[in-house]
Amino acid sequence: MTKLSFGAHPYLLGFDQLERLVERTAKSGSDAYPPYNIEQNGPDAFRITLAVAGFAEDDLAITMEDRALVIRGRQADDLGERIFLHRGIAARAFQRSFVLADGVEVAGAGLENGLLHVDLKRVMPDPVVQSIPIRRR
């Protein structure tokens, strides 16, 4: 039985990247740390909220890597001589990725009460009508 590629359909020219995007998303880990929410804040606005208690702004990095929003957290090593009788607050490093559709951009980010908020907006491009000249061969 032959696997029909989504990007091979004759009416979907140039959509082969969509198939790679689906494969990349499926391969991303299902690690539950840190927990997060995704909210819709309007017809073209979204917010991703990650619970990053104990992380300072300098411990967090937000980057865009090939249409993927990547959020990394790494706490500085504790140089103190603390002795824990119980350690239930996770302080491990993390990386969480979200694949963004074309036209979705990061509007800003903020850290408030242990929650990292990343605001996204969908930018609608202006419709372009283009006339293509026909050459004589």
Side-chain angles (χ1 to χ4, degrees), residues 82-88:
R82 297 168 37 178
I83 299 172
F84 290 96
L85 299 178
H86 172 75
R87 189 165 188 170

Side-chain angles (χ1 to χ4, degrees), residues 21-83:
L21 177 68
V22 171
E23 289 174 5
R24 184 173 68 183
T25 304
K27 288 180 185 176
S28 66
S30 59
D31 186 19
Y33 179 76
Y36 66 93
N37 292 335
I38 300 176
E39 307 169 57
Q40 185 165 3
N41 292 341
D44 295 320
F46 309 94
R47 173 175 270 186
I48 299 172
T49 302
L50 282 84
V52 292
F55 286 84
E57 285 182 41
D58 294 337
D59 298 333
L60 301 167
I62 304 171
T63 57
M64 283 294 298
E65 301 173 11
D66 191 28
R67 300 305 313 154
L69 174 69
V70 180
I71 303 170
R72 293 181 179 91
R74 180 184 241 19
Q75 288 183 330
D77 294 332
D78 187 10
L79 302 176
E81 296 285 330
R82 297 168 37 178
I83 299 172

Side-chain angles (χ1 to χ4, degrees), residues 13-14 35 37 43 47 56 67 88-89 92 100 108-109 115 117-118 130 133:
L13 298 175
N37 292 335
R47 173 175 270 186
R67 300 305 313 154
I89 300 172
R92 64 183 187 261
L100 302 183
L115 298 174
H117 301 288
V118 180
Q130 196 175 359

